Amino acid sequence: MSSYEFDIHTHTIASGHGSCATITDMAKAARAAGLTMLGISDHGPATLGGGRTSYFRNLAYAQKKRLGVRMLYGAEVNILDYNGKLDLEDPILENLDYVIASMHKPTIRPGTEEENTRAYIRAMENPFVNVIGHCDDTRFPVDYFRLFKAAMENHVLLEINNSSLSPDGYRGNTKFNDLLILNLSVHFNYPVLFSSDSHGKKHVGDFTYAEEAAKLAGVPYQLILNHSAKALLGFLGEK
């Protein structure tokens, strides 16, 4: 049985690429991985083939439990400019269980360290954003100290993205950036989130590389939120 209770950065066929899995397929994979809670966070509409606005609006009516797994329904929205504009409007975001905000090529051109940092921080200031996705991406350099301080101020989590750290990852060698985030977590005693970023069933609940990095940084058990679904729900409820 996994010591981790949830994974909330996962993608179904609604993301338009890399997966033909349905939500039920993902719930089956989560149960097989020993998870008690699963979050579905399909790509926003600015991603080629991503979910339409109507898809995210209708998630409010989706089943809250599947195959014994508690379900959360969110979105991985695209940050569209350096002022943190998102590709879903607030009336849609406020009815989701959580929101991950990320920068993707070609939706946004990688900017300078100052531009990228500002884009993330402005996105965090949106009251419905809970997580910043794969901000370890070497193509989008940032000031990690400023980013982490802003995450704390806005009650937002920075994720340690297992897909980024994988030898098959396409965001460059992100290990140094992830270790910076993890060391800041220890320094400020503020939690981080492990994410599989699984496109389809294969990697749901797989945090192998994230776990290795956290051990290297000496991150204590309680600062990795994935050990407790209750802790995550409490965190989300506080924003």
Side-chain angles (χ1 to χ4, degrees):
M1 182 67 70
S2 172
S3 67
Y4 302 107
E5 294 191 356
F6 66 85
D7 183 3
I8 64 166
H9 189 158
T10 71
H11 298 274
T12 73
I13 191 171
S15 282
H17 66 277
S19 170
C20 60
T22 65
I23 293 175
T24 299
D25 291 333
M26 300 295 277
K28 288 178 181 176
R31 185 175 68 174
L35 303 181
T36 60
M37 190 167 73
L38 174 68
I40 302 295
S41 56
D42 284 309
H43 286 292
T47 300
L48 183 64
R52 302 296 94 190
T53 300
S54 58
Y55 167 73
F56 294 103
R57 183 181 293 116
N58 286 324
L59 288 175
Y61 307 103
Q63 291 174 257
K64 302 303 183 186
K65 202 159 195 178
R66 293 175 189 256
L67 306 170
V69 177
R70 178 167 184 171
M71 302 297 299
L72 299 180
Y73 299 101
E76 184 182 12
V77 296
N78 290 283
I79 300 172
L80 300 176
D81 61 28
Y82 305 126
N83 289 315
K85 181 178 173 57
L86 306 176
D87 64 343
L88 285 173
E89 299 295 329
D90 285 357
I92 301 295
L93 300 181
E94 68 179 337
N95 288 314
L96 297 173
D97 292 319
Y98 64 99
V99 176
I100 301 170
S102 305
M103 290 202 279
H104 298 99
K105 292 175 66 178
T107 307
I108 185 171
R109 175 185 58 82
T112 64
E113 179 180 294
E114 172 59 33
E115 288 171 330
N116 297 330
T117 302
R118 183 172 76 249
Y120 280 131
I121 291 175
R122 292 283 175 84
M124 288 182 200
E125 291 170 354
N126 182 297
F128 305 114
V129 169
N130 309 105
V131 180
I132 295 296
H134 48 71
C135 57
D136 56 4
D137 194 328
T138 60
R139 301 169 300 177
F140 292 89
V142 297
D143 180 332
Y144 284 101
F145 185 81
R146 283 180 58 201
L147 198 66
F148 204 93
K149 290 282 284 183
M152 294 170 62
E153 290 165 4
N154 290 284
H155 201 69
V156 168
L157 294 166
L158 302 186
E159 72 170 15
I160 303 300
N161 190 293
N162 198 71
S163 177
S164 294
L165 286 162
S166 166
D168 299 324
Y170 59 89
R171 299 183 182 112
N173 185 352
T174 67
K175 189 171 183 179
F176 181 78
N177 293 342
D178 283 299
L179 287 173
L180 281 176
I181 295 168
L182 290 163
N183 276 284
L184 287 165
S185 170
V186 175
H187 178 75
F188 288 111
N189 195 39
Y190 188 81
V192 291
L193 181 77
F194 284 0
S195 295
S196 70
D197 200 357
S198 185
H199 285 64
K201 303 180 293 182
K202 185 175 181 181
H203 298 293
V204 172
D206 181 3
F207 307 129
T208 304
Y209 304 110
E211 184 176 56
E212 288 174 1
K215 285 181 178 176
L216 192 60
V219 180
Y221 183 96
Q222 69 273 14
L223 290 183
I224 300 168
L225 274 190
N226 304 71
H227 291 299
S228 171
K230 182 179 179 181
L232 175 73
L233 294 171
F235 186 94
L236 295 177
E238 289 168 4
K239 181 161 183 177

